[in-house]
C-alpha cells in the first residue's frame, strides 16, 4: 500500500456526518457531543480505549439505538428520521460475529439477501459470489459454529456486504483475533475500500488504524480529543521507535554510545535496554534511514530490528497529557456491550 | 486539540419520510425468518425432543400411575380417566411448547444476530411473528403425537373429529397468546436458564392448579375458585367438551377472554421491548 492512498481526502464529499451526538445511559455519558466526518471512499479510524463510546457511536449510526441529542446523517439519510432508508445503505460488522451459528455459511448469506428484498435467485447467486470472494466456498454448507474465528469474521463481513452498502461500520473487527487472522481481515477491508466502500472503523489499536485508516478521530469518555489525517496525528504523537538488537550482545553498549554521540539524522537520543536492544525514537523516514546506515557503517551485525508504532497509551499521553482512561468502574461493560 | 476543521453544521438534507414496508415485503421477510427457524430444527433435531417425548411420557405416566384411582372417582376406571385426561393434555401442550420461544429468543439476543436483523430494513415484528409461527408448527407436531398416543392407550374419539380440530385450533390460539409472555421474558431476562426457571415458576401452578389432570370439585374452595378462572382449566374444559361432546361454554369463554387479554396486553410490550432493546 502506498502512502498516497492514505492522504486525508478532505476534498471529497462527506458520506457520514455527525454533529453534537449525545447518548446517555443513566449517569454514564457514553457519547458527550461527538462531531466527525467520514469522506466518500475513505476509512475513518475511531480510536479509543474500552468504554470510550466507540460501540455506542456505531450503534447510534446503525439505528440500533436512538441518540439523545445531536444529528447524524449517513449517505444522505438522517439516523433518527429515516432509519429504514438508512438501513438499506449500511453494513455492520460488530465486535461479536453476528451470524447464525446453527445455519451454514450459504444459508446465512441467503437469509440476509432475502431480508434485503433480493429475489430467491438473486439472493442465491449473491450468496455464492460472496462465499467465493471471501474464500468460504469450501465451507459453504457447514454450520457456522464449526468455522474458525477468521472464517466466522469473514462470513460476518460477507453478510455485511450483501446489500452492497455505501457505508460499512466495522466495530473492532480484529479484537480477539490472532495476528494471522487479523492480517486476513485487514486485507479484506482494504479490498472493500478499493471497491469504493466508505468505512467507519473503531479500534483500540494504533497499528490497525495506521494500516487501514486515512483519517483518525481519537475519542475518550464520549468526547473527541483529536482528529485529522493519520500522518498528521502520528507526527504529533511522536511517531515510532526503532529497536535494534545487535547479534553480539557485547556490541550493545558501543553501538548505543556511537548512536548517542553521532545522532545520525537528528538530535535524538539512543537508549540501551536491559534486554539487549538499543531504542531510538524516530521522527522521520530520513532519520530512520540515517540510523540504519550508521549501524551498518560500523560493521555491527544486526540480530533483530523493528520499528514500533506508539501504543494507544502513548498516543493518549501525548494528546492529553494523561493516561488513556482505564476502564474505570464497571461502566464500560455497560456501555460497550448491548444491555 | 483538533487538527482538522469540520464544517460547523451538518449538511442540510431534504427529509423524505421513510417509506412503509409493503405487505409483500413483510411476508417475504417473515417467510425467510421462518425458513431460518425451520433450518434450526433440521440442524438440531434434538430441539424437537420436548415436543415429541413430552406427550408420550406425560400420557403414560398419568394414565398408568394415577389413571386407575382417579378413574374410580370419576365413576369408571382407567378408561374413564383416559377420556378425561387426554383433552387436558392437548391443552397443556400449548404452554409447554410456548416456553421454548422464550429461550430461543434469548439466545438470539445474546449472540449478536439480533443486531444484524435490527440493522436491516425489515419490520421488527417479522422476527417475532416468524418465531411464533415456527413454535406453532412444533405445537402441531406435539399435539399430533399426543393424539396418536391417546388412541393407542384407548382414547375414544367417538366421532368428534371436528371437535378435535376445534380443540387443536383453540390450543394453538391460546398457545400463541402465551408465547407473547415468553417473548417478553426472553427479551428481558439475562440468560436462557433464567427464562426457563421463570417459565417453570409460572407454569407449574397454572398447570397443576387446574382441571387438566383431575376434576376440581374435590379441591378446597379457594383452589376451586382459582381453577375456575385459570386459563388452563378453561382450555382443558373446552377441549374436553369439544373432543368428548360435553359442555364447552364456560371453558371457551374463559379461554378466549384470556387469549384476547394476554395478546392485547403482552404483544405491544414484547414488540416495544424488542424494538427498544439496546
Amino acid at each position: 500500500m502506498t502512502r498516497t492512498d492514505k492522504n486525508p481526502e478532505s476534498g471529497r464529499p462527506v458520506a457520514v456526518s455527525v454533529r453534537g451526538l449525545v447518548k446517555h445511559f443513566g449517569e454514564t455519558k457514553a457519547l458527550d457531543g461527538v462531531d466527525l466526518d467520514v469522506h466518500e471512499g475513505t476509512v475513518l479510524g475511531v480510536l479509543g480505549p474500552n468504554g470510550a463510546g466507540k460501540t455506542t457511536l456505531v450503534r447510534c449510526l446503525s439505528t440500533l439505538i436512538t441518540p439523545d441529542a445531536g444529528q447524524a446523517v449517513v449517505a444522505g439519510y438522517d439516523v433518527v428520521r429515516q432509519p429504514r432508508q438508512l438501513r438499506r445503505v449500511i453494513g455492520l460488522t460488530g465486535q461479536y460475529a453476528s451470524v447464525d451459528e446453527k445455519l451454514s455459511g450459504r444459508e446465512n448469506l441467503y437469509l440476509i439477501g432475502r431480508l434485503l428484498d433480493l429475489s430467491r435467485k438473486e439472493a442465491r447467486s449473491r450468496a455464492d459470489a460472496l462465499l467465493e470472494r471471501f474464500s468460504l466456498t469450501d465451507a459453504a454448507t457447514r454450520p457456522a459454529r464449526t468455522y474458525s474465528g477468521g472464517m466466522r469474521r469473514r462470513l460476518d463481513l460477507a453478510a455485511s456486504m450483501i446489500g452492497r452498502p455505501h457505508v460499512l461500520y466495522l466495530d473492532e473487527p480484529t479484537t480477539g483475533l490472532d495476528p494471522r487472522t487479523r492480517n486476513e481481515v485487514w486485507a479484506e477491508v482494504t479490498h472493500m475500500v478499493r471497491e469504493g466502500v466508505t468505512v467507519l472503523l473503531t479500534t483500540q489499536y494504533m497499528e490497525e488504524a495506521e494500516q487501514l485508516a486515512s483519517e483518525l478521530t481519537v475519542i475518550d469518555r464520549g468526547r473527541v480529543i483529536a482528529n485529522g489525517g493519520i500522518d498528521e496525528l502520528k507526527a504529533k504523537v511522536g511517531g515510532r521507535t526503532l529497536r535494534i538488537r545487535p547479534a553480539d550482545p557485547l556490541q550493545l553498549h558501543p553501538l548505543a554510545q556511537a548512536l548517542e554521540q553521532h545522532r545520525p539524522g537528528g538530535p535524538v537520543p539512543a537508549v540501551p535496554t536491559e534486554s539487549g536492544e538499543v531504542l531510538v525514537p524516530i521522527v522521520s523516514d530520513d532519520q530512520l534511514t540515517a540510523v540504519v546506515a550508521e549501524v551498518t557503517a560500523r560493521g555491527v551485525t544486526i540480530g533483530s530490528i523493528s520499528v514500533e508504532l506508539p501504543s494507544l497509551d502513548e498516543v493518549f499521553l501525548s494528546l492529553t497529557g494523561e493516561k488513556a482512561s482505564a476502564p474505570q468502574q464497571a461502566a464500560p461493560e455497560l456501555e460497550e456491550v448491548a444491555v | 486539540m483538533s487538527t482538522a476543521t469540520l464544517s460547523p453544521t451538518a449538511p442540510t438534507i431534504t427529509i423524505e419520510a421513510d417509506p412503509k414496508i409493503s405487505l409483500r415485503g413483510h411476508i417475504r421477510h417473515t417467510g425467510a425468518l421462518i425458513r431460518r427457524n425451520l433450518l434450526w430444527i433440521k440442524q438440531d433435531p434434538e430441539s424437537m425432543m420436548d415436543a415429541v417425548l413430552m406427550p408420550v411420557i406425560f400420557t403414560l405416566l398419568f394414565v398408568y400411575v394415577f389413571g386407575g384411582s382417579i378413574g374410580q372417582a370419576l365413576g369408571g376406571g382407567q378408561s374413564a380417566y383416559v377420556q378425561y385426561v387426554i383433552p387436558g393434555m392437548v391443552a397443556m401442550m400449548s404452554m409447554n411448547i410456548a416456553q421454548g420461544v422464550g429461550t430461543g429468543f434469548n439466545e438470539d439476543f445474546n449472540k449478536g444476530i439480533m443486531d444484524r436483523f435490527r440493522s436491516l430494513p425489515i419490520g421488527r415484528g417479522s422476527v417475532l411473528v416468524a418465531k411464533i409461527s415456527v413454535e406453532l408448527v412444533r405445537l402441531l407436531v406435539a399435539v399430533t403425537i399426543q393424539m396418536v398416543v391417546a388412541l393407542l392407550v384407548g382414547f375414544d374419539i367417538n366421532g368428534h373429529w371436528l371437535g378435535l380440530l376445534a380443540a387443536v385450533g383453540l390450543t394453538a390460539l391460546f398457545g400463541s397468546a402465551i408465547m407473547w409472555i415468553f417473548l417478553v421474558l426472553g427479551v428481558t431476562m439475562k440468560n436462557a436458564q433464567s427464562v426457563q426457571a421463570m417459565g417453570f415458576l409460572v407454569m407449574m401452578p397454572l398447570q397443576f392448579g387446574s382441571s387438566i389432570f383431575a376434576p376440581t370439585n374435590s379441591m378446597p374452595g379457594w383452589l376451586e375458585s382459582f381453577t375456575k378462572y385459570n386459563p388452563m382449566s378453561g382450555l382443558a374444559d373446552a377441549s374436553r367438551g369439544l373432543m368428548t361432546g360435553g359442555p364447552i361454554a364456560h371453558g371457551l369463554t374463559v379461554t378466549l377472554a384470556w387469549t384476547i387479554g394476554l395478546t392485547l396486553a403482552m404483544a405491544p410490550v414484547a414488540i416495544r421491548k424488542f424494538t427498544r432493546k439496546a
Side-chain angles (χ1 to χ4, degrees):
Chain A
M1 199 191 300
T2 58
R3 208 88 323 236
T4 47
D5 279 342
K6 307 176 134 208
N7 284 339
E9 304 280 359
S10 341
R12 300 194 186 199
V14 173
V16 180
S17 168
V18 175
R19 290 296 175 276
L21 208 63
V22 174
K23 179 73 188 177
H24 293 187
F25 293 112
E27 291 294 295
T28 319
K29 291 178 177 171
L31 296 178
D32 195 13
V34 167
D35 295 340
L36 58 84
D37 282 338
V38 191
H39 295 100
E40 290 281 350
T42 68
V43 181
L44 173 76
V46 175
L47 183 69
N50 257 334
K54 301 187 296 293
T55 296
T56 306
L57 174 67
V58 169
R59 292 177 75 80
C60 280
L61 293 182
S62 43
T63 73
L64 294 178
I65 51 177
T66 314
D68 296 329
Q71 197 190 14
V73 177
V74 179
Y77 299 119
D78 185 286
V79 289
V80 179
R81 283 180 287 180
Q82 297 165 294
R84 265 186 230 127
Q85 291 172 83
L86 191 143
R87 285 183 205 132
R88 268 190 200 287
V89 296
I90 58 166
L92 169 66
T93 292
Q95 265 176 68
Y96 309 98
S98 40
V99 294
D100 189 328
E101 307 208 326
K102 292 186 191 167
L103 297 194
S104 69
R106 176 177 285 123
E107 285 293 354
N108 261 294
L109 298 183
Y110 177 77
L111 169 65
I112 308 286
R114 290 293 285 160
L115 295 179
L116 281 164
D117 295 322
L118 300 184
S119 72
R120 286 195 179 81
K121 213 177 131 209
E122 283 170 327
R124 221 167 287 133
S125 65
R126 185 91 180 115
D128 285 335
L130 284 166
L131 287 166
E132 177 82 47
R133 152 91 163 68
F134 285 92
S135 323
L136 289 166
T137 306
D138 291 342
T141 54
R142 271 167 39 199
R145 67 161 175 267
T146 65
Y147 284 19
S148 70
M151 289 162 77
R152 222 177 274 208
R153 214 56 77 106
R154 292 207 302 272
L155 180 60
D156 206 358
L157 284 174
S160 306
M161 293 304 284
I162 298 224
R164 302 177 200 279
H166 192 90
V167 176
L168 181 63
Y169 305 124
L170 299 175
D171 189 18
E172 303 202 10
T174 63
T175 296
L177 295 186
D178 61 71
R180 207 192 60 164
T181 317
R182 189 195 59 188
N183 288 338
E184 272 174 37
V185 173
W186 285 353
E188 289 299 348
V189 174
T190 312
H191 187 156
M192 291 190 277
V193 175
R194 250 186 251 131
E195 288 170 356
V197 183
T198 304
V199 176
L200 186 144
L201 163 91
T202 77
T203 181
Q204 296 189 47
Y205 310 116
M206 186 66 188
E207 194 189 354
E208 181 159 80
E210 124 118 336
Q211 264 304 313
L212 300 173
S214 53
E215 286 175 84
L216 201 58
T217 291
V218 185
I219 66 172
D220 186 30
R221 293 173 230 186
R223 294 179 151 277
V224 174
I225 57 173
N227 67 71
I230 193 130
D231 294 329
E232 236 175 302
L233 280 177
K234 255 172 35 194
K236 194 170 195 165
V237 299
R240 303 155 285 176
T241 305
L242 175 67
R243 287 175 176 269
I244 309 169
R245 178 194 300 277
D248 177 0
L250 291 177
Q251 288 187 308
L252 177 68
H253 285 278
L255 177 65
Q257 249 167 23
L259 290 175
E260 182 66 35
Q261 272 161 22
H262 296 271
R263 299 203 170 180
V268 179
V271 190
T273 68
E274 304 213 341
S275 58
E277 291 169 321
V278 182
L279 301 189
V280 189
I282 298 295
V283 292
S284 71
D285 290 350
D286 288 342
Q287 185 212 354
L288 178 60
T289 319
V291 172
V292 175
E294 178 76 21
V295 175
T296 11
R298 299 199 160 262
V300 174
T301 313
I302 298 175
S304 74
I305 184 164
S306 64
V307 178
E308 281 176 8
L309 285 166
S311 68
L312 183 61
D313 269 332
E314 286 159 335
V315 170
F316 269 80
L317 198 63
S318 43
L319 284 175
T320 63
E322 45 182 299
K323 279 198 117 35
S325 47
Q328 355 90 309
Q329 314 112 27
E333 183 74 7
L334 192 81
E335 287 171 54
E336 292 290 328
V337 180
V339 179
Chain B
M1 219 42 235
S2 145
T3 55
T5 20
L6 302 173
S7 56
T9 53
T12 33
I13 49 162
T14 35
I15 303 280
E16 281 170 50
D18 250 357
K20 283 244 180 296
I21 298 170
S22 68
L23 182 63
R24 285 194 60 184
H26 278 302
I27 292 173
R28 187 184 311 114
H29 301 154
T30 309
L33 291 163
I34 288 179
R35 181 189 152 92
R36 162 188 183 237
N37 286 305
L38 289 176
L39 282 167
W40 273 27
I41 297 177
K42 200 177 142 202
Q43 255 306 309
D44 180 17
E46 280 168 32
S47 67
M48 283 299 282
M49 286 280 258
D50 58 341
V52 174
L53 288 183
M54 217 157 27
V56 180
I57 292 172
F58 268 70
T59 305
L60 295 182
L61 208 65
F62 275 85
V63 168
Y64 293 115
V65 176
F66 305 111
S69 33
I70 306 179
Q72 255 168 15
L74 287 168
Q78 190 177 290
S79 62
Y81 187 60
V82 168
Q83 292 304 102
Y84 181 86
V85 80
I86 292 300
M89 296 262 178
V90 170
M92 188 180 72
M93 288 306 136
S94 64
M95 208 173 244
N96 283 342
I97 298 295
Q99 198 196 182
V101 88
T103 44
F105 214 56
N106 187 275
E107 279 173 29
D108 271 354
F109 262 113
N110 292 337
K111 288 271 165 62
I113 182 91
M114 208 54 101
D115 278 353
R116 163 92 58 207
F117 291 152
R118 292 170 68 244
S119 71
L120 289 169
I122 60 174
R124 295 186 171 180
S126 326
V127 182
L128 298 171
V129 174
K131 192 85 197 168
I132 288 184
S133 310
V134 173
E135 291 304 309
L136 285 177
V137 170
R138 266 160 48 85
L139 179 59
L140 288 182
V141 170
V143 170
T144 308
I145 290 174
Q146 173 68 66
M147 283 320 293
V148 171
V149 178
L151 295 173
L152 288 179
V153 299
F155 179 73
D156 184 4
I157 189 76
N158 207 5
H160 297 293
W161 292 104
L162 276 181
L164 171 63
L165 276 186
V168 171
L170 196 62
T171 301
L173 192 68
F174 180 70
S176 67
I178 294 272
M179 282 177 206
W180 290 112
I181 302 182
F182 284 102
L183 284 176
V184 173
L185 287 179
V187 182
T188 330
M189 294 290 199
K190 267 228 144 56
N191 56 47
Q193 281 87 341
S194 23
V195 176
Q196 209 154 21
M198 193 66 194
F200 196 67
L201 278 179
V202 175
M203 282 187 347
M204 286 306 270
L206 286 178
Q207 290 187 346
F208 285 94
S210 77
S211 63
I212 292 181
F213 301 108
T216 59
N217 47 26
S218 63
M219 295 178 184
W222 58 270
L223 186 56
E224 200 186 343
S225 335
F226 172 76
T227 59
K228 208 165 170 193
Y229 298 101
N230 176 351
M232 292 315 294
S233 291
L235 185 57
D237 292 346
S239 68
R240 196 167 290 130
L242 288 164
M243 287 164 69
T244 59
I248 53 170
H250 176 75
L252 189 65
T253 318
V254 170
T255 309
L256 288 180
W258 275 100
T259 302
I260 295 168
L262 281 177
T263 308
L264 285 183
M266 299 315 271
V269 177
I271 292 173
R272 189 159 1 100
K273 288 233 177 243
F274 173 65
T275 313
R276 297 266 171 84
K277 174 136 181 163

